[in-house]
Amino acid sequence: MLLLSIVLIATALFFSRENYRIYSFEVGKPWLHSRLESNFEFDIELDEATRKHLTDSVNQNFAKIYTLDRKKGDQQLALLTRALHGRTGSDALLHAVTTLYNNGIVDNDAANDIRSGKQLRFMVGNNELQVVDASNMKTIRQAYAWLTDSLSDNVALQEALKGIDISNYLVPNMMIDTEENEKWMGEDLRHALQSPGTIQQGEVIITRGEIVTPRKAAAIESYQNELQRRNKQRNVDEGLNLLGQIMIVAIIMLAFYFFMRLLRNHVFSSLRRMVFLITFITIFVIAVLLLVKFKYSLLYVIPFGLVPIIVSSFFDDHTSFFVHIVTVLICSLVASSHQAEFIIMQFLAGIIAIVSVKELTKRTQLVQCAAFIFLAYCITYVAMTLISEGDFNKVDKFYFAYFLINCVILSFAFLIIPIVEKAFGFTSSMTLLELADINNPLLRQLSTNCPGTFQHSLQVANLAGEAALKIGANMQLVRAGALYHDIGKTKNPAFFTENQIGENPHDHLVRPEDSAKIVIDHVTNGLKIAEDADLPKVIKDLIAQHHGKGVTRYFYYKAREAHPDEEIDKTPFTYPGPNPQTKEAAILMMADACEAATKSLNDHSEEAIAAMVGRIIDTQVTEGLLREAPISFRDVETIKRLFVERLRTAYHARVSYPSDVKQDTASSGSDDASSSEAEAN
């Protein structure tokens, strides 16, 4: 999963790299990115529409360049002279045709240019152009009409025309000079399309909040085009570029990997949890890339505060914070134009989310968290703008709208948490809070069928919850687990002392093993009930582990008394376990035993309670019941002191009023009795 996520994220960043190098903007709208400064000198290029307009204009208004082909006219005049053979009027006809060729006979294209009012130009001298008067130039048809109609009064000319077809001697001698036309049209285009200006190295092209004018847009486009040209000239190796992306992502993901392995091994050892964390990071990064590809400023619509909120709903705060940092660092590769601003803003969002939603129990917490994050976003954005631009007018109000959308999405995180729960089998604090509601059908059944057990469970929940809070364990989990840890007793409630009134059913059983089996079965029965009720796995784990592999010592001692000369096998008197695997299970085991034993004490002084608590917990430690739980000796001592304080307060002696003072003759039990009470519970 780690290697897959590295390759997937790095590849996505690689193929999207052009998206964050090329800025998105609209002419007439504010510039939404940070200040753009040129790293080199370049000429501003005209945009495509302007280039097309100027090119069309040059093509339309260009005065074509012609050459007068005198040789062609002389050839036609020589042919005409031989055809006339010195007949009458031949000199007049030759003079008229010579005049036509000297003025110029043009083809149809040139005639169209003349009619449209365009000028005709000739090359004269050394690379010089001269505009020619085209009023006397004629097409072949016009020349023929002029000779036959316009000069009809010239009798000599008319006489000469009778014997020949004059149209055979009229050809265009005004020819387009293709080479010169291409040359001079290119010059005209270069002048028309020349750069409107030059940007110097270090010059600011545009600043945040500044309106994008057509000239600014041309400068931005030119800068980006020049960047692309320079990159191509550098001949960047695409394979090495991808390798660089992989190395950056790999460093960040490996830091996450070793953090989880060394400092959160209980999470690291669970494939399901690690798959969730790595998948969560990867999906978040891909989502950022997709939104930024559509529009860069949408980066600030993405609620990064969701990362610590959702992760902390299933894991501890340290894990959620580190996952948040990893996600932000990878996503900052997308926010290349203003990474510092992005990292600072999202870092603050994560801190606020973790602090304000430490124990997510109410929807209003999300609303408050969203409001705090919105305020942090706004202040940070304004501060960073002042640092980079030094002008309040550069603050773009659109960003405040993006921040608002971000926080609105964030306030609905409670809709995402149940989806994650179902997909990965996790249990959130909100679910645990719902399970701790005493109106839950299972708890109502427990209170009805086993009122003593229900009261015991409530007191254990309070005791264990405070202990969890004291040593940094999951208070919501241990409270919910304490309420359900004895639901298996609903199968045989009368066999447990807290539910007995009068007769004890165990007195009718011959063998202590039978009594032990009934007591031990409350764990197995509890797991079956929890499975049928579809309780979360973490609750079922607490039900299974709250006695660990402890021994029902009371019935084991009875078996030894009944068979003093035999070695008694402990197996029938041992709970199936396993021993507590978490801090919460260890706390529940200690609280369950201590609360039950306290009820059987005659003396509820602080010294007596302290002795009882110490003896029970030390026995559990000695027997290795807490060996597999990640709990320290310091935590155990802290829990002991807390239990003594809370149990002394709960069972302190009340004031006896004079009319109610009676001799206590109902006292019974001893340390052994308190132990048996604890074991039965």
Side-chain angles (χ1 to χ4, degrees):
M1 283 297 299
L2 178 70
L3 293 175
L4 177 62
S5 66
I6 291 173
V7 174
L8 182 61
I9 293 172
T11 304
L13 289 172
F14 173 75
F15 285 110
S16 67
R17 65 195 187 284
E18 292 300 327
N19 293 330
Y20 57 81
R21 286 183 184 174
I22 297 179
Y23 297 99
S24 59
F25 61 90
E26 296 181 36
V27 176
K29 298 291 183 66
W31 177 252
L32 301 179
H33 310 282
S34 60
R35 182 172 65 176
L36 183 61
E37 183 177 310
S38 176
N39 297 324
F40 46 79
E41 180 181 333
F42 68 94
D43 293 329
I44 299 175
E45 301 171 355
L46 299 173
D47 62 88
E48 194 62 33
T50 303
R51 291 177 63 86
K52 186 177 185 307
H53 173 73
L54 292 175
T55 301
D56 293 343
S57 177
V58 169
N59 290 333
Q60 183 177 356
N61 298 315
F62 180 73
K64 295 178 182 177
I65 302 170
Y66 290 84
T67 300
L68 180 61
D69 191 349
R70 296 186 182 276
K71 184 177 180 181
K72 183 171 289 189
D74 293 342
Q75 289 174 349
Q76 296 301 318
L77 286 170
L79 292 173
L80 180 60
T81 300
R82 287 196 296 270
L84 290 174
H85 297 294
R87 71 175 62 178
T88 303
S90 59
D91 291 338
L93 181 58
L94 287 171
H95 181 268
V97 173
T98 300
T99 301
L100 286 172
Y101 277 115
N102 288 336
N103 290 335
I105 298 176
V106 298
D107 58 15
N108 291 330
D109 290 337
N112 291 333
D113 288 343
I114 294 171
R115 281 194 294 270
S116 64
K118 288 185 178 180
Q119 295 177 330
L120 302 184
R121 295 184 293 178
F122 277 94
M123 287 296 303
V124 295
N126 185 18
N127 201 31
E128 293 183 7
L129 287 176
Q130 181 180 2
V131 177
V132 178
D133 182 10
S135 59
N136 293 325
M137 294 181 183
K138 293 178 175 59
T139 63
I140 295 175
R141 179 176 293 182
Q142 290 171 339
Y144 180 81
W146 180 73
L147 288 172
T148 57
D149 299 332
S150 302
L151 301 177
S152 58
D153 296 338
N154 190 329
V155 177
L157 180 64
Q158 294 300 323
E159 191 67 26
L161 285 172
K162 290 180 180 179
I164 62 172
D165 185 0
I166 192 62
S167 62
N168 292 332
Y169 303 96
L170 298 176
V171 295
N173 68 334
M174 290 288 294
M175 311 301 296
I176 291 180
D177 192 333
T178 304
E179 183 178 344
E180 292 296 333
N181 269 284
E182 291 179 355
K183 172 185 173 183
W184 286 94
M185 182 175 281
E187 286 294 325
D188 289 353
L189 284 173
R190 277 192 291 274
H191 282 91
L193 301 178
Q194 68 181 355
S195 172
T198 301
I199 300 296
Q200 302 296 325
Q201 182 177 357
E203 181 178 346
V204 176
I205 301 174
I206 193 169
T207 57
R208 188 197 297 251
E210 187 177 351
I211 299 299
V212 181
T213 62
R215 178 179 172 83
K216 292 287 186 184
I220 297 167
E221 291 285 356
S222 301
Y223 180 65
Q224 295 182 144
N225 293 337
E226 184 64 22
L227 274 176
Q228 291 179 348
R229 281 194 293 268
R230 289 174 179 246
N231 286 336
K232 289 180 180 178
Q233 290 173 358
R234 285 187 303 157
N235 192 25
V236 176
D237 190 321
E238 297 293 322
L240 293 178
N241 198 312
L242 176 58
L243 178 61
Q245 298 277 4
I246 293 177
M247 289 173 64
I248 292 176
V249 177
I251 290 172
I252 298 174
M253 292 301 291
L254 284 173
F256 164 74
Y257 174 86
F258 284 110
F259 172 84
M260 299 304 298
R261 181 176 182 178
L262 299 176
L263 302 180
R264 292 294 180 273
N265 192 56
H266 64 286
V267 177
F268 181 82
S269 59
S270 170
L271 178 62
R272 177 168 50 90
R273 295 180 178 183
M274 288 299 292
V275 166
F276 163 70
L277 292 177
I278 295 176
T279 303
F280 191 64
I281 294 172
T282 305
I283 290 176
F284 220 87
V285 174
I286 299 299
V288 169
L289 291 170
L290 293 176
L291 285 179
V292 170
K293 183 176 181 181
F294 177 73
K295 189 174 183 182
Y296 187 86
S297 55
L298 288 180
L299 182 69
Y300 291 98
V301 175
I302 302 171
F304 281 88
L306 278 177
V307 177
I309 289 176
I310 292 178
V311 175
S312 62
S313 296
F314 310 110
F315 304 93
D316 59 279
D317 294 339
H318 294 85
T319 301
S320 66
F321 178 71
F322 200 84
V323 171
H324 176 69
I325 291 299
V326 168
T327 306
V328 169
L329 287 178
I330 296 177
C331 291
S332 69
L333 299 176
V334 181
S336 58
S337 58
H338 39 288
Q339 286 179 327
E341 175 183 295
F342 174 80
I343 292 175
I344 291 173
M345 293 176 69
Q346 306 310 336
F347 173 81
L348 291 175
I351 293 293
I352 293 171
I354 292 173
V355 172
S356 58
V357 194
K358 186 174 179 63
E359 290 287 343
L360 184 57
T361 56
K362 300 178 182 178
R363 296 177 182 177
T364 54
Q365 289 177 277
L366 288 173
V367 177
Q368 292 174 353
C369 173
F372 289 141
I373 290 177
F374 175 76
L375 185 61
Y377 274 154
C378 294
I379 294 174
T380 306
Y381 167 67
V382 172
M384 295 299 293
T385 302
L386 292 178
I387 291 173
S388 60
E389 307 295 343
D391 186 357
F392 271 110
N393 295 325
K394 301 300 182 182
V395 174
D396 184 7
K397 297 180 178 59
F398 281 102
Y399 273 79
F400 298 115
Y402 297 145
F403 299 152
L404 183 60
I405 295 172
N406 179 316
C407 295
V408 169
I409 298 174
L410 181 66
S411 63
F412 286 92
F414 63 88
L415 298 177
I416 302 175
I417 292 174
I419 297 175
V420 177
E421 283 186 297
K422 293 295 183 182
F424 292 92
F426 297 150
T427 305
S428 68
S429 56
M430 294 184 69
T431 299
L432 294 174
L433 189 65
E434 293 172 358
L435 289 173
D437 184 357
I438 59 174
N439 290 316
N440 186 286
L442 276 182
L443 296 182
R444 287 205 308 269
Q445 181 183 359
L446 182 65
S447 66
T448 301
N449 297 342
C450 307
T453 300
F454 179 70
Q455 292 300 320
H456 162 71
S457 298
L458 287 176
Q459 292 168 1
V460 171
N462 292 331
L463 192 63
E466 290 196 44
L469 189 62
K470 194 75 172 178
I471 68 169
N474 190 329
M475 182 186 70
Q476 295 291 348
L477 173 58
V478 77
R479 280 182 57 84
L483 290 174
Y484 290 90
H485 78 286
D486 275 345
I487 56 172
K489 293 182 178 180
T490 55
K491 294 294 185 180
N492 296 294
F495 283 88
F496 300 92
T497 57
E498 70 268 21
N499 300 312
Q500 293 172 0
I501 301 177
E503 188 177 20
N504 187 342
H506 286 286
D507 295 339
H508 301 288
L509 298 177
V510 177
R511 301 170 60 243
E513 289 86 346
D514 296 333
S515 295
K517 184 179 187 307
I518 293 175
V519 171
I520 291 172
D521 279 349
H522 87 274
V523 173
T524 306
N525 293 333
L527 289 173
K528 291 179 181 178
I529 294 172
E531 187 69 34
D532 294 338
D534 197 25
L535 291 182
K537 183 178 182 302
V538 288
I539 301 297
K540 289 186 281 189
D541 288 343
L542 292 180
I543 293 174
Q545 298 170 22
H546 79 276
H547 281 296
K549 294 183 178 180
V551 176
T552 53
R553 191 168 286 103
Y554 178 78
F555 298 111
Y556 174 67
Y557 288 158
K558 288 188 67 175
R560 288 178 59 181
E561 291 174 0
H563 305 278
D565 299 328
E566 299 178 15
E567 183 69 28
I568 304 299
D569 183 11
K570 283 188 178 182
T571 303
F573 303 94
T574 303
Y575 284 96
N579 288 327
Q581 305 293 306
T582 62
K583 279 187 178 183
E584 291 76 18
I587 292 170
L588 179 57
M589 172 183 281
M590 291 184 279
D592 181 37
C594 292
E595 197 283 329
T598 305
K599 292 179 180 177
S600 299
L601 289 178
N602 293 325
D603 181 7
H604 289 107
S605 65
E606 182 175 353
E607 292 76 10
I609 293 176
M612 179 272 299
V613 169
R615 183 173 60 255
I616 289 177
I617 295 179
D618 289 344
T619 299
Q620 293 173 343
V621 172
T622 302
E623 294 180 351
L625 300 181
L626 303 178
R627 187 174 299 162
E628 299 173 41
I631 191 168
S632 66
F633 285 111
R634 176 179 295 180
D635 291 337
V636 171
E637 292 303 317
T638 301
I639 291 171
K640 284 182 182 179
R641 290 193 296 271
L642 178 71
F643 281 3
V644 171
E645 180 183 347
R646 293 295 181 266
L647 291 172
R648 180 178 59 82
T649 303
Y651 293 98
H652 71 279
R654 271 74 171 177
V655 175
S656 297
Y657 291 93
S659 59
D660 296 327
V661 174
K662 295 181 179 179
Q663 181 69 28
D664 183 6
T665 59
S667 298
S668 62
S670 61
D671 290 343
D672 291 336
S674 67
S675 298
S676 64
E677 179 79 14
E679 291 158 5
N681 283 278

